[in-house]
Amino acid sequence: MLRPRWIGMLLLCLVVAGVFAWLGQWQLGRAVQTNPLPPGATEEVQELATVAAPGEYLPEPLVGQRVETAGRWVPGDFIVVQSRFNDDVEGYWVTGQLRIDPARTETSAPTSVAVAVGWAATEEDARAAIAELEEAASASSSDADAVEVTGRLISDEGPLLPPRGSDPQTLTRMSPAALLGQWHDVDGLFVYRPYVASVDPLAGLEAISSPAPAEGSGINWLNIFYALEWAIFAGFAFYLWYRLAKDAWEKETEDFEDARREPDGGPEPAAS
């Protein structure tokens, strides 16, 4: 272990263990929220632009935050999302692209947010609501026709392949990324990654059941588990060095014993 080769290996293991220790410390820092939201903070309605920015992921403490914004619906972009449950009853969501009023954004680029505007028990009811919403959106032509939207800000659920044999455009997850692929007029568009579940339903739809998020403990146990894993990896780096050095020592010892038993380099004479 005192040979230059193994001292060099030990130094390398120290570097690796130091990196693992830093990663563990980073995970611990993420596990404990130093500034958790006060109880009930998610129920205070805030301006959307002050809570999140287009293209950014929604931080965990802000999931379910009630927000408000205003804009106009983009005609042709009301889309049905299947397999949505309202109080354990399966149905459909009607979603739309809300082009946010430039005065309510912090950028001069066109900005949109996906909005779940209401729930329907059948696809026929959802399609009927879309027809009514499309008519109203097509008739809107000025800023005076802007609509106010209030709801909960929820993270993208991620896209999912449609059921086998169904229309390739079928959506079963509320994913702004997937909706963006079916929207119109998206050149140079900024889009929010999370979506808004509207509190007030439109076009005869039912309100979406969206209770307040449960109050967290301020500790992310998954990050603590990851931190423990990094500590184990750091310890394993030293064990690996010890194991390799011991294996080399044992091999040299065996070679030495063999050489001592065979001084001429030949086999030992057989016992008479």
Side-chain angles (χ1 to χ4, degrees):
M1 291 180 179
L2 296 179
R3 293 176 182 174
R5 173 188 176 188
W6 294 109
I7 291 178
M9 287 286 292
L10 177 59
L11 293 176
L12 178 61
C13 289
L14 283 171
V15 172
V16 172
V19 173
F20 289 164
W22 176 82
L23 289 170
Q25 186 179 10
W26 177 75
Q27 289 286 359
L28 282 177
R30 291 175 59 89
V32 180
Q33 298 177 16
T34 55
N35 296 308
L37 294 176
T42 58
E43 303 311 291
E44 299 177 4
V45 179
Q46 300 185 32
E47 182 66 30
L48 173 61
T50 65
V51 175
E56 295 183 357
Y57 288 100
L58 186 64
E60 184 65 29
L62 297 177
V63 174
Q65 176 67 50
R66 295 187 62 161
V67 297
E68 63 180 2
T69 190
R72 292 192 299 166
W73 301 112
V74 177
D77 287 349
F78 289 101
I79 299 172
V80 173
V81 179
Q82 302 181 6
S83 302
R84 310 310 296 178
F85 287 84
N86 234 32
D87 297 328
D88 298 327
V89 179
E90 187 174 5
Y92 303 81
W93 277 5
V94 173
T95 69
Q97 177 191 171
L98 183 71
R99 186 63 54 84
I100 301 175
D101 184 348
R104 308 288 286 268
T105 66
E106 297 182 354
T107 175
S108 58
T111 305
S112 290
V113 62
V115 179
V117 300
W119 180 88
T122 65
E123 186 173 2
E124 291 74 16
D125 291 342
R127 298 294 177 188
I130 285 180
E132 182 178 338
L133 290 166
E134 291 285 3
E135 182 179 357
S138 299
S140 174
S141 59
S142 66
D143 293 339
D145 298 321
V147 296
E148 297 277 346
V149 173
T150 301
R152 292 197 186 278
L153 193 61
I154 305 176
S155 299
D156 186 335
E157 297 176 1
L160 188 68
L161 290 175
R164 184 182 297 272
S166 63
D167 188 327
Q169 300 292 336
T170 299
L171 297 178
T172 57
R173 303 282 291 273
M174 186 58 186
S175 171
L179 291 170
L180 179 62
Q182 300 187 34
W183 284 352
H184 302 85
D185 187 23
V186 296
D187 290 340
L189 182 67
F190 284 11
V191 179
Y192 280 88
R193 284 185 180 271
Y195 68 91
V196 176
S198 178
V199 173
D200 301 316
L202 303 175
L205 296 168
E206 296 184 32
I208 294 173
S209 178
S210 182
E215 297 291 343
S217 64
I219 298 178
N220 188 324
W221 293 103
L222 183 60
N223 286 97
I224 291 180
F225 173 75
Y226 289 152
L228 291 175
E229 278 192 333
W230 286 120
I232 293 172
F233 293 158
F236 182 75
F238 290 107
Y239 173 77
L240 182 63
W241 170 80
Y242 164 76
R243 186 70 258 179
L244 291 174
K246 184 177 180 181
D247 287 347
W249 173 77
E250 290 178 345
K251 183 177 184 305
E252 289 186 7
T253 301
E254 290 177 358
D255 292 343
F256 176 77
E257 293 293 337
D258 291 342
R260 190 179 63 175
R261 287 195 299 267
E262 304 174 9
D264 335 351
E268 292 183 350
S272 57

CSV table of all heavy atoms in Angstrom, one decimal, residues 216-248:
chain,number,residue,atom,x,y,z
A,216,GLY,N,-47.0,20.0,3.0
A,216,GLY,CA,-45.8,19.2,3.1
A,216,GLY,C,-45.1,19.3,4.4
A,216,GLY,O,-45.4,20.3,5.2
A,217,SER,N,-44.1,18.5,4.6
A,217,SER,CA,-43.4,18.5,5.9
A,217,SER,C,-42.1,19.4,5.7
A,217,SER,O,-41.4,19.6,6.7
A,217,SER,CB,-43.0,17.1,6.3
A,217,SER,OG,-42.1,16.5,5.3
A,218,GLY,N,-41.8,19.8,4.5
A,218,GLY,CA,-40.6,20.6,4.3
A,218,GLY,C,-39.4,19.7,4.1
A,218,GLY,O,-38.3,20.3,4.0
A,219,ILE,N,-39.6,18.4,4.1
A,219,ILE,CA,-38.4,17.5,4.0
A,219,ILE,C,-38.7,16.6,2.8
A,219,ILE,O,-39.8,15.9,2.7
A,219,ILE,CB,-38.2,16.7,5.2
A,219,ILE,CG1,-37.8,17.6,6.4
A,219,ILE,CG2,-37.1,15.6,5.0
A,219,ILE,CD1,-37.6,16.9,7.7
A,220,ASN,N,-37.8,16.5,1.9
A,220,ASN,CA,-37.9,15.6,0.7
A,220,ASN,C,-37.1,14.3,1.0
A,220,ASN,O,-35.9,14.3,0.9
A,220,ASN,CB,-37.4,16.2,-0.5
A,220,ASN,CG,-37.7,15.4,-1.8
A,220,ASN,OD1,-37.7,14.2,-1.8
A,220,ASN,ND2,-38.0,16.1,-2.9
A,221,TRP,N,-37.8,13.2,1.4
A,221,TRP,CA,-37.1,12.0,1.9
A,221,TRP,C,-36.4,11.3,0.7
A,221,TRP,O,-35.4,10.6,0.9
A,221,TRP,CB,-38.1,11.1,2.5
A,221,TRP,CG,-38.7,11.6,3.8
A,221,TRP,CD1,-39.9,12.2,4.1
A,221,TRP,CD2,-37.9,11.7,5.1
A,221,TRP,NE1,-40.0,12.6,5.4
A,221,TRP,CE2,-38.8,12.3,6.0
A,221,TRP,CE3,-36.7,11.3,5.5
A,221,TRP,CZ2,-38.4,12.5,7.3
A,221,TRP,CZ3,-36.3,11.5,6.8
A,221,TRP,CH2,-37.1,12.1,7.7
A,222,LEU,N,-36.9,11.5,-0.5
A,222,LEU,CA,-36.2,10.9,-1.6
A,222,LEU,C,-34.8,11.5,-1.8
A,222,LEU,O,-33.9,10.8,-2.1
A,222,LEU,CB,-37.0,11.1,-2.9
A,222,LEU,CG,-36.5,10.5,-4.2
A,222,LEU,CD1,-36.4,9.0,-4.0
A,222,LEU,CD2,-37.4,10.9,-5.4
A,223,ASN,N,-34.7,12.8,-1.6
A,223,ASN,CA,-33.4,13.4,-1.7
A,223,ASN,C,-32.4,12.9,-0.6
A,223,ASN,O,-31.2,12.8,-0.8
A,223,ASN,CB,-33.5,14.9,-1.7
A,223,ASN,CG,-34.0,15.5,-3.0
A,223,ASN,OD1,-35.2,15.8,-3.1
A,223,ASN,ND2,-33.1,15.7,-3.9
A,224,ILE,N,-33.0,12.7,0.6
A,224,ILE,CA,-32.2,12.2,1.7
A,224,ILE,C,-31.7,10.8,1.4
A,224,ILE,O,-30.6,10.4,1.7
A,224,ILE,CB,-33.0,12.2,3.0
A,224,ILE,CG1,-33.3,13.6,3.5
A,224,ILE,CG2,-32.3,11.4,4.1
A,224,ILE,CD1,-34.1,13.8,4.7
A,225,PHE,N,-32.6,10.0,0.8
A,225,PHE,CA,-32.2,8.6,0.3
A,225,PHE,C,-31.0,8.7,-0.7
A,225,PHE,O,-30.0,8.0,-0.6
A,225,PHE,CB,-33.4,7.9,-0.3
A,225,PHE,CG,-33.0,6.6,-0.9
A,225,PHE,CD1,-32.8,5.5,-0.1
A,225,PHE,CD2,-33.0,6.4,-2.3
A,225,PHE,CE1,-32.4,4.2,-0.7
A,225,PHE,CE2,-32.6,5.2,-2.8
A,225,PHE,CZ,-32.4,4.1,-2.0
A,226,TYR,N,-31.1,9.7,-1.6
A,226,TYR,CA,-30.0,9.8,-2.6
A,226,TYR,C,-28.7,10.3,-1.9
A,226,TYR,O,-27.7,9.8,-2.3
A,226,TYR,CB,-30.4,10.9,-3.6
A,226,TYR,CG,-31.5,10.4,-4.6
A,226,TYR,CD1,-32.4,11.3,-5.2
A,226,TYR,CD2,-31.7,9.1,-4.9
A,226,TYR,CE1,-33.3,10.9,-6.1
A,226,TYR,CE2,-32.6,8.6,-5.8
A,226,TYR,CZ,-33.5,9.6,-6.4
A,226,TYR,OH,-34.4,9.2,-7.3
A,227,ALA,N,-28.8,11.1,-0.9
A,227,ALA,CA,-27.7,11.6,-0.2
A,227,ALA,C,-27.0,10.4,0.5
A,227,ALA,O,-25.7,10.3,0.5
A,227,ALA,CB,-28.0,12.6,0.8
A,228,LEU,N,-27.8,9.5,1.1
A,228,LEU,CA,-27.2,8.3,1.7
A,228,LEU,C,-26.5,7.4,0.7
A,228,LEU,O,-25.5,6.8,0.9
A,228,LEU,CB,-28.3,7.5,2.5
A,228,LEU,CG,-28.9,8.2,3.7
A,228,LEU,CD1,-30.0,7.4,4.3
A,228,LEU,CD2,-27.8,8.3,4.8
A,229,GLU,N,-27.1,7.3,-0.5
A,229,GLU,CA,-26.5,6.5,-1.6
A,229,GLU,C,-25.1,7.1,-1.9
A,229,GLU,O,-24.2,6.3,-2.1
A,229,GLU,CB,-27.4,6.5,-2.8
A,229,GLU,CG,-28.5,5.5,-2.8
A,229,GLU,CD,-29.2,5.4,-4.1
A,229,GLU,OE1,-29.2,6.3,-4.9
A,229,GLU,OE2,-29.8,4.3,-4.4
A,230,TRP,N,-25.0,8.4,-2.0
A,230,TRP,CA,-23.7,9.0,-2.4
A,230,TRP,C,-22.7,8.7,-1.3
A,230,TRP,O,-21.5,8.5,-1.6
A,230,TRP,CB,-23.8,10.5,-2.6
A,230,TRP,CG,-24.5,10.8,-3.9
A,230,TRP,CD1,-25.7,11.5,-4.1
A,230,TRP,CD2,-24.0,10.5,-5.2
A,230,TRP,NE1,-26.0,11.6,-5.5
A,230,TRP,CE2,-25.0,11.0,-6.2
A,230,TRP,CE3,-22.9,9.8,-5.7
A,230,TRP,CZ2,-24.8,10.9,-7.5
A,230,TRP,CZ3,-22.8,9.6,-7.1
A,230,TRP,CH2,-23.7,10.1,-8.0
A,231,ALA,N,-23.1,8.7,0.0
A,231,ALA,CA,-22.2,8.4,1.1
A,231,ALA,C,-21.7,7.0,0.9
A,231,ALA,O,-20.5,6.7,1.2
A,231,ALA,CB,-22.9,8.6,2.4
A,232,ILE,N,-22.6,6.0,0.6
A,232,ILE,CA,-22.2,4.6,0.4
A,232,ILE,C,-21.2,4.5,-0.8
A,232,ILE,O,-20.2,3.8,-0.7
A,232,ILE,CB,-23.4,3.8,0.2
A,232,ILE,CG1,-24.3,3.7,1.4
A,232,ILE,CG2,-23.0,2.4,-0.2
A,232,ILE,CD1,-25.6,3.1,1.3
A,233,PHE,N,-21.5,5.3,-1.8
A,233,PHE,CA,-20.5,5.2,-3.0
A,233,PHE,C,-19.2,5.7,-2.6
A,233,PHE,O,-18.1,5.2,-3.0
A,233,PHE,CB,-21.1,6.1,-4.1
A,233,PHE,CG,-22.4,5.5,-4.8
A,233,PHE,CD1,-23.2,6.3,-5.5
A,233,PHE,CD2,-22.7,4.2,-4.6
A,233,PHE,CE1,-24.4,5.8,-6.0
A,233,PHE,CE2,-23.8,3.6,-5.2
A,233,PHE,CZ,-24.7,4.5,-5.9
A,234,ALA,N,-19.1,6.8,-1.8
A,234,ALA,CA,-17.8,7.3,-1.3
A,234,ALA,C,-17.1,6.3,-0.5
A,234,ALA,O,-15.8,6.1,-0.7
A,234,ALA,CB,-18.0,8.6,-0.5
A,235,GLY,N,-17.8,5.6,0.4
A,235,GLY,CA,-17.1,4.5,1.2
A,235,GLY,C,-16.7,3.4,0.3
A,235,GLY,O,-15.6,2.8,0.5
A,236,PHE,N,-17.4,3.1,-0.7
A,236,PHE,CA,-17.1,2.0,-1.6
A,236,PHE,C,-15.8,2.3,-2.4
A,236,PHE,O,-15.0,1.4,-2.7
A,236,PHE,CB,-18.2,1.7,-2.6
A,236,PHE,CG,-18.0,0.5,-3.5
A,236,PHE,CD1,-18.0,-0.8,-3.1
A,236,PHE,CD2,-17.6,0.7,-4.8
A,236,PHE,CE1,-17.8,-1.9,-3.9
A,236,PHE,CE2,-17.4,-0.3,-5.7
A,236,PHE,CZ,-17.5,-1.6,-5.2
A,237,ALA,N,-15.6,3.6,-2.7
A,237,ALA,CA,-14.3,3.9,-3.4
A,237,ALA,C,-13.1,3.5,-2.6
A,237,ALA,O,-12.1,3.0,-3.1
A,237,ALA,CB,-14.3,5.4,-3.7
A,238,PHE,N,-13.1,3.8,-1.3
A,238,PHE,CA,-12.0,3.4,-0.4
A,238,PHE,C,-11.9,1.8,-0.3
A,238,PHE,O,-10.8,1.3,-0.3
A,238,PHE,CB,-12.2,4.0,1.0
A,238,PHE,CG,-11.9,5.4,1.0
A,238,PHE,CD1,-13.0,6.3,1.2
A,238,PHE,CD2,-10.7,6.0,0.8
A,238,PHE,CE1,-12.8,7.7,1.2
A,238,PHE,CE2,-10.5,7.4,0.8
A,238,PHE,CZ,-11.6,8.2,1.0
A,239,TYR,N,-13.1,1.2,-0.2
A,239,TYR,CA,-13.1,-0.3,-0.1
A,239,TYR,C,-12.5,-0.9,-1.4
A,239,TYR,O,-11.7,-1.9,-1.3
A,239,TYR,CB,-14.5,-0.8,0.1
A,239,TYR,CG,-14.5,-2.3,0.0
A,239,TYR,CD1,-14.1,-3.1,1.1
A,239,TYR,CD2,-15.0,-3.0,-1.1
A,239,TYR,CE1,-14.2,-4.5,1.0
A,239,TYR,CE2,-15.1,-4.3,-1.2
A,239,TYR,CZ,-14.6,-5.1,-0.1
A,239,TYR,OH,-14.7,-6.5,-0.2
A,240,LEU,N,-12.8,-0.3,-2.5
A,240,LEU,CA,-12.3,-0.8,-3.8
A,240,LEU,C,-10.8,-0.7,-3.8
A,240,LEU,O,-10.1,-1.7,-4.3
A,240,LEU,CB,-12.9,0.0,-5.0
A,240,LEU,CG,-12.5,-0.5,-6.4
A,240,LEU,CD1,-12.9,-1.9,-6.7
A,240,LEU,CD2,-13.1,0.5,-7.4
A,241,TRP,N,-10.2,0.4,-3.4
A,241,TRP,CA,-8.8,0.6,-3.3
A,241,TRP,C,-8.1,-0.5,-2.4
A,241,TRP,O,-7.1,-1.1,-2.7
A,241,TRP,CB,-8.4,2.0,-2.8
A,241,TRP,CG,-7.0,2.2,-2.5
A,241,TRP,CD1,-6.0,2.4,-3.3
A,241,TRP,CD2,-6.4,2.1,-1.2
A,241,TRP,NE1,-4.8,2.5,-2.7
A,241,TRP,CE2,-5.0,2.3,-1.3
A,241,TRP,CE3,-6.9,1.9,0.1
A,241,TRP,CZ2,-4.1,2.4,-0.3
A,241,TRP,CZ3,-6.0,1.9,1.2
A,241,TRP,CH2,-4.6,2.2,1.0
A,242,TYR,N,-8.7,-0.7,-1.2
A,242,TYR,CA,-8.2,-1.7,-0.3
A,242,TYR,C,-8.3,-3.1,-0.8
A,242,TYR,O,-7.3,-3.9,-0.7
A,242,TYR,CB,-9.1,-1.6,1.0
A,242,TYR,CG,-8.9,-2.8,1.9
A,242,TYR,CD1,-7.7,-3.0,2.7
A,242,TYR,CD2,-9.9,-3.8,2.0
A,242,TYR,CE1,-7.6,-4.1,3.5
A,242,TYR,CE2,-9.7,-4.9,2.8
A,242,TYR,CZ,-8.6,-5.0,3.6
A,242,TYR,OH,-8.4,-6.1,4.3
A,243,ARG,N,-9.4,-3.4,-1.5
A,243,ARG,CA,-9.6,-4.7,-2.1
A,243,ARG,C,-8.6,-5.0,-3.2
A,243,ARG,O,-8.0,-6.1,-3.2
A,243,ARG,CB,-11.0,-4.9,-2.6
A,243,ARG,CG,-11.4,-6.2,-3.1
A,243,ARG,CD,-11.5,-7.2,-2.0
A,243,ARG,NE,-10.4,-8.1,-1.9
A,243,ARG,CZ,-10.2,-9.1,-1.0
A,243,ARG,NH1,-11.1,-9.2,0.0
A,243,ARG,NH2,-9.2,-9.8,-1.0
A,244,LEU,N,-8.4,-4.0,-4.1
A,244,LEU,CA,-7.4,-4.2,-5.1
A,244,LEU,C,-6.0,-4.4,-4.6
A,244,LEU,O,-5.2,-5.2,-5.1
A,244,LEU,CB,-7.5,-3.0,-6.1
A,244,LEU,CG,-8.8,-2.9,-6.9
A,244,LEU,CD1,-8.8,-1.6,-7.8
A,244,LEU,CD2,-8.9,-4.1,-7.9
A,245,ALA,N,-5.6,-3.5,-3.6
A,245,ALA,CA,-4.3,-3.6,-3.0
A,245,ALA,C,-4.1,-5.0,-2.3
A,245,ALA,O,-3.0,-5.6,-2.4
A,245,ALA,CB,-4.1,-2.5,-2.0
A,246,LYS,N,-5.1,-5.4,-1.6
A,246,LYS,CA,-5.0,-6.7,-0.9
A,246,LYS,C,-4.9,-7.9,-1.9
A,246,LYS,O,-4.1,-8.8,-1.6
A,246,LYS,CB,-6.2,-6.9,0.0
A,246,LYS,CG,-6.1,-8.2,0.9
A,246,LYS,CD,-7.3,-8.3,1.8
A,246,LYS,CE,-7.2,-9.6,2.6
A,246,LYS,NZ,-8.3,-9.8,3.5
A,247,ASP,N,-5.7,-7.8,-3.0
A,247,ASP,CA,-5.6,-8.9,-4.0
A,247,ASP,C,-4.1,-8.9,-4.6
A,247,ASP,O,-3.6,-10.0,-4.8
A,247,ASP,CB,-6.6,-8.6,-5.1
A,247,ASP,CG,-8.0,-8.9,-4.6
A,247,ASP,OD1,-8.2,-9.5,-3.6
A,247,ASP,OD2,-9.0,-8.5,-5.3
A,248,ALA,N,-3.6,-7.7,-4.8
A,248,ALA,CA,-2.2,-7.7,-5.4
A,248,ALA,C,-1.2,-8.3,-4.4
A,248,ALA,O,-0.3,-9.0,-4.7
A,248,ALA,CB,-1.8,-6.3,-5.8
